[in-house]
Amino acid sequence: MPISETQEVGEPLITSEYTVEPIPVTSAATVVFLPLDTTVQPALSPLPCESASAGTPLDVTIPDDTPIAPGQRFVKTWRLVNRGACIWDSTYSVVWVSGDNLAPVTAYALPTRVLPGEAVDISIEMVAPPWQGRYTSYWMLRSPSGKLFGLGPAGNAPFWVRIQVPALDTATLLPAPTFSPTPIAVLEGQITLTISQGLHLSDLTLQQDLSKVDFWVEHSAGGMVLSPQNEAQWGVLPFAETPTVTRCLELTQETTPIPLQGESFFPSLCVRSADGAVAFFEVIRVDEERGLVDIHYIRWLTP
């Protein structure tokens, strides 16, 4: 190619036939570097509402194996801590779940509002059974949705009360009857007692003379009671048992008045008079307003 007229000797040759194409840029992965003092926290699950732990102490009253006299009332108090995310209020309750039910009812609403992290003392009035033995009653909390929860890592462990009921003082018992415990006949029926009226057990007659009756109906400060008279005795028969004269002779040993209402009332009773009459009483109705007590009885006639 000839040199142009204006081109100096030694200058680079520039022509329009040569072009410079741009170098393509490919995309690359984006890398973000976090500051050294920044960490990523995993998402935490929210705390459940149904979570509790033992307070200090857990057993405020009635430590395990406390001796309680037969038929005696006592108050068991537990201290629990709300470890959940919700406020406990009266829609939460403490309920009996297994073991021996020593309380008059099986569920109680919590007495106060308990904020998360706070402790609450839960007190329940109970009654010791009237016969000797070791008794354990298991309880848990219940949420408004009906879910049961308690203590332990899984929240499924109940809390309990355990008592020891000693035997009654045998010196206060009546002498054992001399007749054979094998009955020759059975009388069964229903009788209605009124206030200031008593029952003579041997012939099942109603009397108004205290000196001639074995059991007497009267009012007391706590309501109506059935009071043993003239060294008559009584004992509680568990509901699951079929009454027999032999079993009733084993149980009749109490001489205190029998409350006809309230948490210490047991409607199935074995009764015995000082002259050896033995019967089973089932209290089927108490009308305190009218002063009436309906009793289904089984009276064993013995030789």
Side-chain angles (χ1 to χ4, degrees), residues 19-24:
T19 59
V20 179
E21 297 292 336
I23 299 174

Side-chain angles (χ1 to χ4, degrees), residues 245-268:
V245 63
T246 302
R247 179 63 168 146
C248 277
L249 287 173
E250 295 173 352
L251 292 174
T252 49
Q253 55 188 13
E254 289 278 354
T255 57
T256 56
I258 306 166
L260 294 176
Q261 291 178 332
E263 66 261 24
S264 57
F265 174 47
F266 300 90
S268 298

Side-chain angles (χ1 to χ4, degrees), residues 3-236:
I3 299 175
S4 65
E5 296 179 355
T6 59
Q7 185 176 358
E8 296 291 337
V9 177
E11 287 185 354
L13 180 63
I14 300 176
T15 67
S16 61
E17 295 182 13
Y18 296 92
T19 59
V20 179
E21 297 292 336
I23 299 174
V25 179
T26 59
S27 60
T30 303
V31 179
V32 177
F33 294 95
L34 294 175
L36 294 178
D37 59 349
T38 302
T39 57
V40 178
Q41 297 291 342
L44 299 177
S45 300
L47 287 175
C49 291
E50 301 87 359
S51 181
S53 66
T56 304
L58 171 61
D59 297 306
V60 179
T61 64
I62 315 298
D64 284 352
D65 298 315
T66 296
I68 304 289
Q72 179 179 325
R73 298 185 186 186
F74 63 95
V75 176
K76 173 64 183 182
T77 301
W78 297 282
R79 181 167 297 161
L80 302 179
V81 179
N82 182 354
R83 295 301 183 190
C86 300
I87 298 175
W88 296 349
D89 55 20
S90 59
T91 62
Y92 286 76
S93 54
V94 55
V95 298
W96 171 71
V97 291
S98 64
D100 303 291
N101 185 14
L102 306 178
V105 295
T106 58
Y108 298 85
L110 290 188
T112 185
R113 284 166 53 90
V114 187
L115 299 176
E118 288 186 342
V120 59
D121 285 358
I122 299 174
S123 299
I124 297 178
E125 186 174 22
M126 301 183 181
V127 180
W131 51 90
Q132 180 184 8
R134 188 189 197 195
Y135 300 90
T136 306
S137 186
Y138 295 94
W139 296 72
M140 297 184 75
L141 295 170
R142 185 171 62 193
S143 69
S145 65
K147 180 179 179 180
L148 293 175
F149 64 103
L151 307 178
N156 58 356
F159 39 95
W160 62 84
V161 56
R162 187 167 67 228
I163 62 172
Q164 295 275 5
V165 178
L168 289 175
D169 184 0
T170 56
T172 62
L173 302 183
L174 294 179
T178 58
F179 57 81
S180 169
T182 304
I184 60 174
V186 174
L187 298 177
E188 185 171 0
Q190 182 173 320
I191 196 168
T192 299
L193 296 174
T194 62
I195 292 294
S196 299
Q197 188 179 56
L199 175 67
H200 187 240
L201 194 59
S202 294
D203 55 12
L204 296 172
T205 57
L206 301 179
Q207 306 280 347
Q208 292 185 322
D209 184 348
L210 273 176
S211 65
K212 298 180 180 180
V213 300
D214 299 301
F215 292 91
W216 180 265
V217 177
E218 60 187 355
H219 273 299
S220 71
M224 294 175 62
V225 296
L226 186 64
S227 298
Q229 302 292 327
N230 304 306
E231 298 185 312
Q233 296 183 350
W234 61 274
V236 176

Side-chain angles (χ1 to χ4, degrees), residues 130-131 235-243 247 251 266 268-270 280:
W131 51 90
V236 176
L237 187 74
F239 291 101
E241 291 191 27
T242 301
R247 179 63 168 146
L251 292 174
F266 300 90
S268 298
L269 307 168
C270 287
F280 167 74

